[in-house]
Amino acid sequence: MAEEAILGYLAKNQEIADSGEFAAQHGLNHDDVVNVIKSLHGFRYVDAQDIKRETWVLTDEGKTYAASGSPEVQLFLAIPPEGIPLEELQKKLDPLLFKIGRAQAAKNKWVEMGKQLVSRKVQHVNDTVKDLLLQIEGGKVIDQDDIKALRGRKLIATQTWNGYSVRKGPEYAPQRKKFAADLTREMLQSGEWKNLEFKEYNFNAKGQPIEGGHLHPLNKVRHQLRMIFLQMGFEEMPTDRFVESSFWNFDALFQPQQHPARDSHDTFYMKVPAITKELPEDYVERVKRVHESGGYGSRGYEYDWNRDEANKNLLRTHTTAISTRMLYLLAQKPFTPKRYFSIDRVFRNEAVDRTHLAEFHQIEGLICDRGLTLGDLIGVLHDFFSRLGMSKLRFKPAYNPYTEPSMEIFSYHEGFGKWVEVGNSGMFRPEMLLPMGLPEDVRVIAWGLSLERPTMILYGINNIRDLFGHKVDLGLIKANPICRLGVD
Amino acid sequence: MPTISVGRDRLYAALGKTYTQEEFEDLCFRFGIELDDVTTEKAIIRKEKHLEEEDAGEDEEVIYKIEIPANRYDLLCLEGIAQALRIFNGQQEMPKYNVANISRESMIKMHVKPETASIRPYVVCAVLRGITFDEGSYNSFMDLQEKLHQNICRRRTLVAIGTHDLDTLHGPFTYEALPPSSINFVPLKQVKNFRADELMEFYKTDLKLKKFLHIIESSPVFPVIYDSNRTILSLPPIINGAHSAITLKTKNVFIECTATDLTKAKIVLNTMVTTFSEHCERKFEIEPVEVIYSDGKSYICPDLSVYSMDVSLSYITGAIGVPLDADKVTSLLNRMQLSAVQSVSGDNSSDITVSVPPTRSDVLHPCDVMEDVAIAYGYNNIKDIAIAKGYNISKGRAVSLRPLPLEEFSHLVRLEMAMCGFTEVLSFILCSHNDNFAMLNHEDDGSTAVIIENPRSSENETARTSLMSGLLKTVGQNKAHPKPIKIFEVGDIVRLDETKDVGAINRRQLAALYCGAAAGYEIIHGLVERIMQVIGLVPPNDNTTYYLKPSNEPEFLHGTQASIIYKGKQIGTSGIVHPEVLNKCDIPDPCSYFELNIQCFL
């Protein structure tokens, strides 16, 4: 409405001199008029010049007096012709009003403040203050002295008024062209799109968030690692077996029964089902012997091996329990070389902190073949870790009950500027392999690492609980990038 | 892995060389120990008292905390580390430890009474003659006992060590087991006499000793060692007597190790005497003690004989993958405290005869010797050769591989779920009993869930029997997340199964949850149909493949729940989550849920 009025007016007239007056004349809200002028100016339909005016408006106090009269008149009218005691007059009026009214009335010499009575000095008064205030409210201009007096009494204040003077602009047209926000089916069907101009897209604003499904970051990394193992010719081991016997988790790995890892401080033992019912007896006998008195070139640990200890069920502490079962199965057939891997959950009865949970994922790879060497292990580790983007490796001698030699794997982290431990590795001991029945020249090289640690380094996550478990922020899962291992 | 604290300056003095920290770290790394932390005595105290960090004063002694491999008991004190590194650096040869040549008659005797068999049957002893302690070596001697107790002695259960000033005692000694009420003595660090049963009561409040009381507490007899004057040497494995306590001035030390495991007792005794015989007047010589059992059996200890092991050169080089000649191998072994000589066997192949000293109880098999050759040669030197030669490329490689069906199928299902607009979560296998049952309005009839015997917290009482609690807890933790929340998980649950060797089995499950302004069961229903569709099952026009059958499960709202039936068997559940369950999970918004076993589709 305002737009039509402005463009229509300018079609016949040179100028709108004052948007305020224009609004008043056309019965429009001035704010609407201003908005339209700004918009038309932006599209160069009109040229608009700012007009600023200082005007007087009533303060809250001024507004009250404009409505119900000035305090001095109210006080005057409250005095009956015969006069009134001061206390009674005071009771009739608001205390503040009384105070102001008495001062002003006295100044105007309207009242006599006698000792006993307050009485009128004049018979009739005019409320000029109220009249002036009403004039200002009505937008009328009044005398400068009056302004000064009202301002002195804080009944009026200045206000800046903004408006425009408007002329035709370079793109003036009596009617504005429409800019379409989007291309619609109707526009295509009607062909209207040909007449339309399209609103420029604001590329600085955010696009609309995309709805969709998401994979968990830890599983994304897990999948890429599976791919790496498959590309390197490794076969996945079936690891869906969380409850395991101590025998397969420890004893078969030549881990002595007094080893600290077997302590209840480190391992979850099962109350139900408490013991395993079935073990391969002839193999158990060979394992018992190798612990107690050695054989296969070994001295053994020289202690009394306890079958009950081996029967105890637990939650597997490493996926090597599965590797051991796989190697045992392999040993029951004519020998074929193997490359095996797994990535699955393991459990430790450890204190939980920012980097440790009671359960985590273990990545494990192993190669079983005749004549494998420590050099082969280092070679395969170099290949594997290079694919994860860690090609600068070094190895530290370490101890592990079932591998000899054992090597901790360190990788140089450019970001941290230091060597960080990224995994463990070694050759399985003959005391582990030979009781299974594997040929004597068969060696097994293996390595392991957690899935969580490289993932935390990769995604810059400091607290493992931000990555894994029910406390993880769904927003974080959704925001996670794709996983491209070995690509900077 | 055990960690030991040694004074840096004392260590460098013992090494006869000063290192920069970086150089020392590198030496440790090559040898296979690790400089774990650098601190000072005062900093350790400040940390214990939770005081503010202060700048270390110039005068504070720098302490190195060094991590030791768990099977190297000979490295559990400064003397041991320093000797091992000196030998590794070629600064010293491996010493030969001798048992002093004295007649059986003049040997100190330890008589073992038969009653000890019921509580702690073994004892081994030895004497360090003419020892000279200084403050550093005295503290090291005490620390070594502590470290041995913590590690190989398994907190004194397997072996307990007692050390005594021999000059305060009169042999022969007796190792007995007596009722606690008949044992009276003044224990170490006390001034008054205690009866053994009172002493046990007294130590219940002792932070250090109360941990060991359980070892003998319930036994009717306590192990105890007396001298010929009935002076009590020790009440193993709890405490020594005050009478024979060793001091800086002690010249002759009597060591007794009582045990339930004789092999470990011998290792412990050997470690104590070999390590500290370097401070004796006759270096590396140890005076023996004869232990005599009541049945007449006896042995003389310590046994410091070397163990001779023949290892073929081809085994060593073949396992390491680097060609080395016999001379090189023997010189490398000498740097690892193993004296080795070359011997040519009949078929002309070269053998190495290795003498394993009593300090190296970790050497069990030729593979341990092979590892020492590799360490002395340098793992990182082997690395350079391995990378240059491109080792490993074909070994063990199969011609053709098949993926594991369960993992491959799970992966495909996960992708389909994400394509359906659901977000994957990964929750814990371990959960509390309450989360698995009561929170889901279920009672435990004892037939489904495994129970963990020793959980550290209530979070680890059982393994989940469904994925439901994990998904609900995820929603409970993500209340601020914009609705609707659409999540899924593919993972294993654990159930009791009598037919399996261990009595339990894993099952691969798929579960999904929708949470919005309304429960939206139709979305969950649609998702079930979609998953069935991509698995290749037609929608349920007839009941031959799968169908939904109204059910009555307590975790779901009555009337809006159904079992998922496949080939006549229930494989899953679905429904609007019961408001009571939502309340228990602190979820203010309605949810629908389904879960099914996907292993049956393989």
Side-chain angles (χ1 to χ4, degrees):
Chain A
M1 218 173 90
E3 186 174 302
E4 280 166 31
I6 294 164
L7 291 175
Y9 186 86
L10 287 177
K12 293 172 206 138
N13 304 284
Q14 273 277 314
E15 184 187 52
I16 297 169
D18 184 314
S19 58
E21 283 166 21
F22 182 82
Q25 281 161 16
H26 291 79
L28 296 168
N29 180 316
H30 186 245
D31 289 341
D32 293 345
V33 171
V34 164
N35 284 337
V36 170
I37 292 171
K38 279 184 189 162
S39 165
L40 289 170
H41 181 74
F43 289 96
R44 302 173 57 171
Y45 281 87
V46 301
D47 275 336
Q49 299 291 329
D50 286 344
I51 304 174
K52 269 193 188 156
R53 259 200 313 267
E54 296 250 301
T55 57
W56 293 104
V57 291
L58 304 192
T59 62
D60 287 346
E61 194 183 349
K63 280 178 192 159
T64 335
Y65 302 161
S68 41
S70 64
E72 53 269 35
V73 171
Q74 288 190 52
L75 179 111
F76 182 84
L77 295 176
I79 302 169
E82 67 275 15
I84 185 170
L86 185 65
E87 294 79 33
E88 274 180 43
L89 179 61
Q90 221 163 342
K91 275 181 209 153
K92 287 170 90 172
L93 295 165
D94 172 86
L96 187 68
L97 197 86
F98 173 80
K99 197 183 150 206
I100 300 170
R102 189 172 72 166
Q104 289 296 332
K107 199 172 145 195
N108 292 351
K109 302 200 170 75
W110 288 352
V111 293
E112 175 77 52
M113 307 295 285
K115 277 192 181 138
Q116 262 138 41
L117 288 174
V118 181
S119 54
R120 293 182 176 182
K121 263 182 161 176
V122 294
Q123 286 312 306
H124 180 75
V125 296
N126 284 327
D127 200 344
T128 45
V129 169
K130 180 179 168 175
D131 293 346
L132 287 168
L133 288 173
L134 287 171
Q135 283 178 44
I136 287 169
E137 209 172 30
K140 299 229 169 64
V141 180
I142 60 165
D143 187 75
Q144 279 302 315
D145 289 341
D146 290 332
I147 294 259
K148 219 172 148 187
L150 292 176
R151 212 172 122 198
R153 287 180 67 178
K154 295 200 174 108
L155 302 180
I156 59 170
T158 53
Q159 191 184 51
T160 311
W161 178 91
N162 289 310
Y164 295 100
S165 71
V166 184
R167 288 165 171 270
K168 281 180 188 166
E171 303 283 329
Y172 174 80
Q175 205 171 17
R176 183 155 33 167
K177 265 193 223 162
K178 276 196 186 134
F179 283 87
D182 207 344
L183 181 64
T184 65
R185 186 194 295 128
E186 286 74 23
M187 292 172 194
L188 289 175
Q189 283 172 349
S190 65
E192 192 199 350
W193 64 270
K194 292 176 202 154
N195 307 321
L196 293 173
E197 280 190 40
F198 288 87
K199 196 174 159 188
E200 268 184 49
Y201 187 82
N202 180 4
F203 293 99
N204 294 322
K206 286 244 183 239
Q208 190 167 308
I210 293 304
E211 290 288 318
H214 309 80
L215 295 176
H216 193 279
L218 205 56
N219 275 341
K220 287 194 220 177
V221 180
R222 180 175 187 265
H223 180 69
Q224 289 313 113
L225 281 157
R226 272 186 82 217
M227 291 297 110
I228 287 174
F229 274 116
L230 293 171
Q231 286 149 12
M232 289 173 68
F234 284 70
E235 197 176 333
E236 190 161 13
M237 295 185 276
T239 46
D240 53 333
R241 176 193 282 275
F242 295 154
V243 177
E244 191 52 274
S245 62
S246 294
F247 179 78
W248 287 109
N249 195 78
F250 291 129
D251 294 285
L253 282 78
F254 196 52
Q255 197 144 343
Q257 294 189 327
Q258 304 85 0
H259 192 274
R262 300 183 71 150
D263 223 271
S264 61
H265 294 278
D266 292 295
T267 300
F268 288 115
Y269 285 94
M270 307 308 297
K271 193 168 171 186
V272 182
I275 59 162
T276 202
K277 290 173 295 194
E278 204 184 312
L279 291 171
E281 292 303 329
D282 54 336
Y283 176 45
V284 170
E285 192 50 41
R286 292 194 296 273
V287 168
K288 172 184 158 79
R289 270 208 308 275
V290 78
H291 277 248
E292 288 189 334
S293 55
Y296 315 101
S298 175
R299 301 169 73 174
Y301 290 120
E302 299 175 67
Y303 73 101
D304 292 330
W305 186 84
N306 183 347
R307 172 64 185 260
D308 292 340
E309 203 56 48
N311 283 345
K312 280 186 183 171
N313 276 336
L314 45 75
L315 288 175
R316 67 166 178 228
T317 62
H318 49 191
T319 51
T320 317
I322 301 290
S323 313
T324 309
R325 282 179 181 266
M326 296 300 284
L327 290 170
Y328 172 73
L329 288 177
L330 197 63
Q332 307 316 304
K333 292 175 288 187
F335 181 71
T336 43
K338 282 285 179 189
R339 291 186 165 206
Y340 281 133
F341 82 97
S342 65
I343 310 171
D344 206 352
R345 214 78 65 104
V346 296
F347 305 87
R348 304 272 170 93
N349 196 9
E350 285 177 346
V352 171
D353 63 27
R354 346 178 21 90
T355 53
H356 294 86
L357 288 173
E359 55 188 289
F360 62 95
H361 294 79
Q362 186 188 340
I363 303 166
E364 183 167 351
L366 67 88
I367 303 177
C368 174
D369 203 347
R370 297 181 194 270
L372 284 168
T373 69
L374 193 58
D376 290 320
L377 174 58
I378 291 171
V380 76
L381 290 173
H382 189 259
D383 184 2
F384 177 80
F385 281 97
S386 296
R387 291 165 190 256
L388 306 187
M390 303 178 202
S391 48
K392 216 170 156 188
L393 298 181
R394 63 174 190 164
F395 302 95
K396 176 176 160 285
Y399 167 66
N400 184 1
Y402 51 91
T403 55
E404 190 83 8
S406 309
M407 307 192 296
E408 278 172 12
I409 309 157
F410 285 72
S411 159
Y412 190 76
H413 190 284
E414 299 289 346
F416 301 161
K418 63 172 185 184
W419 291 92
V420 286
E421 195 194 328
V422 291
N424 259 299
S425 65
M427 286 176 118
F428 284 161
R429 292 188 71 101
E431 293 100 320
M432 171 179 170
L433 299 179
L434 296 176
M436 292 176 177
L438 285 168
E440 219 172 305
D441 59 343
V442 167
R443 296 200 190 105
V444 177
I445 54 179
W447 74 99
L449 60 152
S450 85
L451 176 64
E452 282 77 2
R453 189 165 162 73
T455 305
M456 286 167 75
I457 294 174
L458 211 61
Y459 289 118
I461 294 169
N462 292 322
N463 189 334
I464 194 165
R465 281 165 286 202
D466 292 338
L467 178 67
F468 182 21
H470 58 266
K471 289 185 180 162
V472 172
D473 175 19
L474 288 174
L476 180 131
I477 298 177
K478 293 183 174 181
N480 235 271
I482 52 171
C483 172
R484 298 176 72 201
L485 295 176
V487 179
D488 287 327
Chain B
M1 296 279 173
T3 301
I4 69 155
S5 299
V6 297
R8 180 193 60 187
D9 299 344
R10 266 194 80 221
L11 178 65
Y12 286 169
L15 288 174
K17 195 176 162 189
T18 301
Y19 293 83
T20 65
Q21 189 177 317
E22 207 170 56
E23 286 166 347
F24 184 68
E25 272 171 333
D26 181 62
L27 175 64
C28 289
F29 195 94
R30 284 185 286 121
F31 182 69
I33 57 182
E34 193 172 336
L35 181 59
D36 197 40
D37 196 11
V38 179
T39 180
T40 64
E41 190 84 38
K42 285 182 188 163
I44 293 169
I45 294 166
R46 279 198 293 273
K47 209 171 173 187
E48 275 170 4
K49 292 183 177 169
H50 301 286
L51 295 176
E52 288 288 306
E53 280 286 326
E54 285 171 42
D55 288 334
E58 291 281 310
D59 54 335
E60 287 191 37
E61 194 200 359
V62 176
I63 291 174
Y64 277 180
K65 288 193 162 183
I66 301 176
E67 210 178 271
I68 306 296
N71 62 342
R72 290 299 297 270
Y73 314 114
D74 60 316
L75 303 180
L76 285 173
C77 67
L78 183 141
E79 283 76 2
I81 291 181
Q83 176 167 289
L85 290 178
R86 283 196 306 263
I87 295 169
F88 186 63
N89 285 339
Q91 295 164 265
Q92 183 195 325
E93 288 201 0
M94 182 64 196
K96 292 209 166 25
Y97 300 102
N98 298 309
V99 176
N101 189 13
I102 55 174
S103 69
R104 205 166 187 134
E105 294 78 57
S106 50
M107 237 176 247
I108 293 174
K109 307 273 190 295
M110 170 69 83
H111 295 278
V112 184
K113 296 280 170 74
E115 295 77 25
T116 58
S118 69
I119 172 77
R120 205 169 178 84
Y122 306 109
V123 63
V124 289
C125 315
V127 174
L128 289 171
R129 279 278 172 204
I131 198 163
T132 309
F133 283 121
D134 60 22
E135 203 172 324
S137 58
Y138 178 84
N139 290 337
S140 186
F141 190 67
M142 294 302 159
D143 288 348
L144 175 61
Q145 291 176 57
E146 174 65 23
K147 289 292 168 191
L148 289 167
H149 277 152
Q150 281 307 312
N151 292 285
I152 183 175
C153 304
R154 307 294 301 126
R155 291 184 286 277
R156 304 192 189 180
T157 54
L158 302 180
V159 188
I161 311 160
T163 54
H164 310 276
D165 188 335
L166 184 58
D167 299 330
T168 66
L169 297 166
H170 301 278
F173 302 101
T174 54
Y175 178 38
E176 310 178 18
L178 298 169
S181 55
S182 65
I183 303 170
N184 271 286
F185 71 118
V186 181
L188 202 61
K189 289 181 185 160
Q190 300 297 330
V191 284
K192 90 178 226 277
N193 202 66
F194 281 87
R195 221 171 61 197
D197 50 347
E198 293 165 352
L199 187 63
M200 295 293 276
E201 203 55 47
F202 178 72
Y203 283 148
K204 281 202 167 119
T205 54
D206 185 300
L207 281 180
K208 188 179 167 226
L209 294 176
K210 68 177 181 187
K211 295 180 292 212
F212 308 118
L213 303 180
H214 73 97
I215 305 172
I216 56 168
E217 205 169 25
S218 56
S219 167
V221 288
F222 285 3
V224 56
I225 298 177
Y226 289 97
D227 78 351
S228 59
N229 295 338
R230 299 304 285 170
T231 301
I232 289 186
L233 279 71
S234 64
L235 183 75
I238 311 298
I239 191 81
N240 289 348
H243 176 86
S244 57
I246 68 165
T247 67
L248 270 168
K249 295 194 187 94
T250 297
K251 283 285 147 209
N252 301 302
V253 179
F254 180 73
I255 303 173
E256 38 88 2
C257 300
T258 56
T260 56
D261 180 321
L262 183 58
T263 310
K264 291 202 170 50
K266 288 178 177 172
I267 293 172
V268 169
L269 182 67
N270 284 355
T271 305
M272 290 290 295
V273 297
T274 52
T275 315
F276 280 86
S277 60
E278 74 168 70
H279 296 301
C280 288
E281 208 171 344
R282 298 163 78 99
K283 266 194 167 192
F284 309 124
E285 185 179 285
I286 294 100
E287 183 179 314
V289 172
E290 186 178 15
V291 177
I292 303 162
Y293 287 82
S294 53
D295 61 2
K297 279 186 195 147
S298 74
Y299 48 73
I300 291 166
C301 44
D303 177 5
L304 298 177
S305 57
V306 295
Y307 178 83
S308 177
M309 195 184 267
D310 286 337
V311 186
S312 81
L313 179 65
S314 61
Y315 167 74
I316 292 173
T317 55
I320 296 172
V322 172
L324 297 168
D325 61 28
D327 285 344
K328 181 71 179 168
V329 168
T330 52
S331 75
L332 290 173
L333 284 173
N334 289 340
R335 286 179 48 211
M336 301 304 290
Q337 307 159 44
L338 300 174
S339 55
V341 290
Q342 187 182 351
S343 56
V344 176
S345 53
D347 56 356
N348 243 355
S349 68
S350 202
D351 264 1
I352 309 283
T353 301
V354 181
S355 302
V356 182
T359 48
R360 290 296 308 275
S361 59
D362 60 298
V363 177
L364 303 176
H365 186 277
C367 69
D368 297 293
V369 174
M370 177 263 288
E371 181 189 57
D372 274 4
V373 174
I375 292 171
Y377 184 79
Y379 281 179
N380 296 297
N381 298 326
I382 301 170
K383 179 187 80 177
D384 297 339
I385 295 169
I387 291 171
K389 290 194 178 171
Y391 274 16
N392 108 77
I393 296 311
S394 62
K395 286 176 188 164
R397 201 185 271 271
V399 180
S400 156
L401 286 180
R402 286 171 198 280
L404 197 64
L406 179 62
E407 295 308 322
E408 193 66 10
F409 185 71
S410 298
H411 175 65
L412 293 173
V413 168
R414 288 173 48 240
L415 293 182
E416 288 294 340
M417 289 299 292
M419 283 187 259
C420 291
F422 279 65
T423 294
E424 184 177 34
V425 300
L426 198 61
S427 48
F428 297 132
I429 307 291
L430 300 172
C431 61
S432 70
H433 186 272
N434 179 68
D435 286 356
N436 201 50
F437 291 104
M439 191 176 85
L440 306 179
N441 277 354
H442 268 272
E443 274 181 36
D444 180 10
D445 63 4
S447 72
T448 54
V450 302
I451 302 169
I452 293 166
E453 187 179 62
N454 56 335
R456 209 180 265 258
S457 82
S458 66
E459 308 264 280
N460 306 331
E461 288 167 345
T462 184
R464 63 189 181 190
T465 56
S466 83
L467 303 180
M468 193 170 192
S469 65
L471 265 66
L472 286 169
K473 283 192 282 182
T474 301
V475 176
Q477 290 284 338
N478 278 278
K479 280 200 276 291
H481 196 77
K483 303 290 175 308
I485 289 175
K486 299 193 278 184
I487 53 175
F488 78 97
E489 180 165 12
V490 172
D492 279 5
I493 59 163
V494 181
R495 280 178 175 256
L496 293 172
D497 187 337
E498 277 293 312
T499 67
K500 300 293 158 191
D501 56 352
V502 293
I505 190 171
N506 279 30
R507 263 181 19 191
R508 186 67 44 94
Q509 303 281 109
L510 160 67
L513 181 145
Y514 176 89
C515 171
Y521 178 69
E522 66 283 1
I523 293 164
I524 286 299
H525 183 192
L527 194 59
V528 172
E529 285 178 345
R530 171 64 187 157
I531 286 305
M532 293 301 188
Q533 184 182 39
V534 297
I535 288 171
L537 301 176
V538 289
N541 290 328
D542 55 29
N543 287 348
T544 54
T545 53
Y546 84 93
Y547 63 97
L548 298 182
K549 181 180 157 193
S551 62
N552 194 15
E553 299 292 341
E555 69 267 38
F556 296 118
L557 195 61
H558 187 72
T560 50
Q561 54 165 298
S563 302
I564 304 167
I565 312 288
Y566 171 64
K567 287 184 176 169
K569 276 174 73 178
Q570 182 183 340
I571 58 159
T573 58
S574 69
I576 292 178
V577 181
H578 198 285
E580 279 169 26
V581 173
L582 293 175
N583 185 37
K584 281 183 261 189
C585 301
D586 194 22
I587 299 174
D589 305 290
C591 297
S592 304
Y593 178 84
F594 89 83
E595 173 162 351
L596 59 87
N597 172 254
I598 57 169
Q599 219 151 348
C600 61
F601 299 122
L602 294 179

